[in-house]
Every structure is written in C-alpha cells, then in structure tokens.
Amino acid sequence: MTTSSDAAALVDALVADNAGITVVGGSPLYIGASNASGFFSGGAGILPFPTGVVLTTGNAPFVIGPNTSPAAGVDNNAPGDAGLSAIVGTETHNASVLQFRFTSTQNTISFQYVFGSEEYNEFVGSQFNDVFAFLLNGNNIALVPGTSTPIAINNVNNGANSNLFTDNTGNALNTELDGLVGVQTALFATASVTPGAENTIRIAIADTSDEILDSAVFLRAGSFVSGPPVPEQPTQPPGPPTSVPEPMTLTLLGSGMTALALLRKRFGHR
C-alpha cells in the first residue's frame, strides 16, 4: 500500500489508456487527509482485481489483512462531505474525495469498484451508515444494480441485497474489513454521457454520524473507460503508472491503526 494525495496520479491510475476518456488538464482534485488515499496491489484472491486506487475514511493501510479487529479505524480529523450528508440524511466526517473533469468519445462511461467497511455487521440498521458515492454531474451512480438505491451499510448487507455482500467477520478474505460489497458479484458504475461534452465526477466516501470504524472504496486500475465495462484480464492486469512507487501487497499488516479504534470503542465513543 502506498498512500498518496496526488490527484493527478490517482486519476492516471484509474483512467484506462486509449479508452476514449480525456481528462481535462489541471482538473484532478483530491480533498481529504493525505494518508486516507493511495495505490494498492496484492488484491488477487481478496478483491476481483489485483491493483488500483483506494479512498478511505481513515488511514489507507488499515485495509491490509488479516482481519484482527472488529473495530479498526482512525479519526483523521477531516471534514465531512455535503453531497454524502445529503444522501444519508445526517452528518458525515473524514471524507475522502477525488474529483476530475473529462470528456468521452462514446455515450457511456464505466468503471469497476468494491466497497468495504468495519461498520459491518454490528452497526447495520444504525445511524453509523457509512456511505460513498460517484457523483457524475451531480447524480450518484454508485447504486444497487437495477435500482436507484445508493450502496451504503444499511442498504447492502447480510439481510439486504445480500447477493452483493461478502461477510468477512470470519477472516475468509485477507483484509481488515469486516464486510465487502462487489466481491462475489462484480460491480460497475455505468452512466450515459454526451460524447465530446465535459463532465465532472466526484468519487467520495465518508464516515457517518461519528469519526471511527473506517470504510474504503477500491477502484480497479485502468477500468475507467468510454463505453461498456471492460472485464478484468487476469493474465495482464492493469496497474498504476510506472512513476508511482511500487506498493506493498495487501498481505502485509500494520497493526497501529486498529489499536486506536479499539481504545475509543472501549471508552465509550459508541
């Protein structure tokens, strides 16, 4: 895991080469804590793609496995996001946002993602409804497939839209996250656009109602394309630009982040 708040590098890793997407020069913008975002590798066997970009509500390396704590997280003292607060109807905190403008040669854009959180499973149905969104020209396209329901803790879990959910409380997957959305069933954000017209996308995630128990959204490297979704090619996986430092794999563990959350949990922050 390599933390980075370099918006241009993060966007370069996400957008596929020669796939009909032109990023408007100077438009990439990152808002959030400097250690809340970055690049990952080693996703094979954990995620449906091996490399990509991650945005979190705490410290990005917390996603590294194994799952040793039911309450991992860091309060990085970042503000929330008004767009996400409007989606969940309550205050958000520790937002991590990647924004850029682009044009597309085709009338559709798409990319692949996975959402994960430590709020699973204890806080399903509560106000701690951590949320993320892909706001394309102001409209959220991070939705339960075939619906207008945003993907969030309370909307996708063991009891709701469970075909999209993977319970990791038993440490079946080598990540600290207790639950993930988009592992057993691939998820693609797709939307219609006007070819040649300029669009704005805001990829955002935030804690809801409090500042602890982190969540993350993983974006498959090179999957942002003009046109329909491009399936992962296991033999030739896309990756971050060669200028990005080689990240560690998700199989390594930094334990410091979990301790803080456990102490806060114990002393009554929930």
Side-chain angles (χ1 to χ4, degrees):
M1 180 73 63
T2 299
T3 59
S4 175
S5 58
D6 185 334
L10 294 169
V11 171
D12 283 346
L14 176 61
V15 176
D17 293 333
N18 304 315
I21 297 291
T22 300
V23 176
V24 175
S27 70
L29 175 67
Y30 174 75
I31 303 169
S34 60
N35 61 342
S37 59
F39 308 94
F40 70 88
S41 65
I46 305 168
L47 305 174
F49 40 88
T51 60
V53 170
V54 61
L55 303 180
T56 76
T57 64
N59 190 2
F62 100 97
V63 304
I64 297 169
N67 189 355
T68 60
S69 167
V74 169
D75 178 5
N76 60 38
N77 297 309
D81 180 80
L84 294 179
S85 296
I87 289 172
V88 292
T90 191
E91 187 177 13
T92 56
H93 308 271
N94 292 330
S96 181
V97 182
L98 180 63
Q99 175 177 311
F100 60 98
R101 303 196 309 277
F102 69 93
T103 60
S104 170
T105 58
Q106 298 189 47
N107 62 3
T108 303
I109 62 99
S110 60
F111 57 97
Q112 188 175 4
Y113 66 97
V114 167
F115 171 65
S117 181
E118 282 291 272
E119 299 290 353
Y120 292 117
N121 291 303
E122 303 94 318
F123 297 101
V124 171
S126 75
Q127 72 268 36
F128 306 114
N129 184 29
D130 285 3
V131 66
F132 74 105
F134 305 141
L135 295 167
L136 178 65
N137 301 324
N139 298 311
N140 185 20
I141 60 172
L143 305 173
V144 174
T147 77
S148 59
T149 302
I151 293 177
I153 301 296
N154 290 349
N155 296 337
V156 184
N157 48 64
N158 275 325
N161 297 298
S162 59
N163 62 306
L164 303 176
F165 180 67
T166 299
D167 189 335
N168 193 43
T169 53
N171 198 29
L173 300 176
N174 194 19
T175 173
E176 184 64 63
L177 296 162
D178 286 346
L180 298 101
V181 180
V183 171
Q184 60 182 341
T185 301
L187 282 177
F188 292 88
T190 62
S192 297
V193 295
T194 300
E198 188 172 297
N199 305 277
T200 298
I201 190 162
R202 297 183 77 246
I203 299 169
I205 187 169
D207 285 324
T208 299
S209 295
D210 70 356
E211 301 87 358
I212 59 173
L213 300 194
D214 288 349
S215 295
V217 61
F218 301 89
L219 310 167
R220 190 184 117 203
S223 67
F224 196 107
V225 298
S226 176
V230 177
E232 174 63 33
Q233 301 296 322
T235 57
Q236 293 182 327
T242 55
S243 60
V244 177
E246 179 63 24
M248 297 181 290
T249 70
L250 286 178
T251 60
L252 302 179
L253 172 66
S255 61
M257 287 71 71
T258 64
L260 179 59
L262 284 172
L263 287 172
R264 290 180 174 174
K265 191 90 167 182
R266 179 177 297 175
F267 290 109
H269 283 248
R270 274 282 169 85

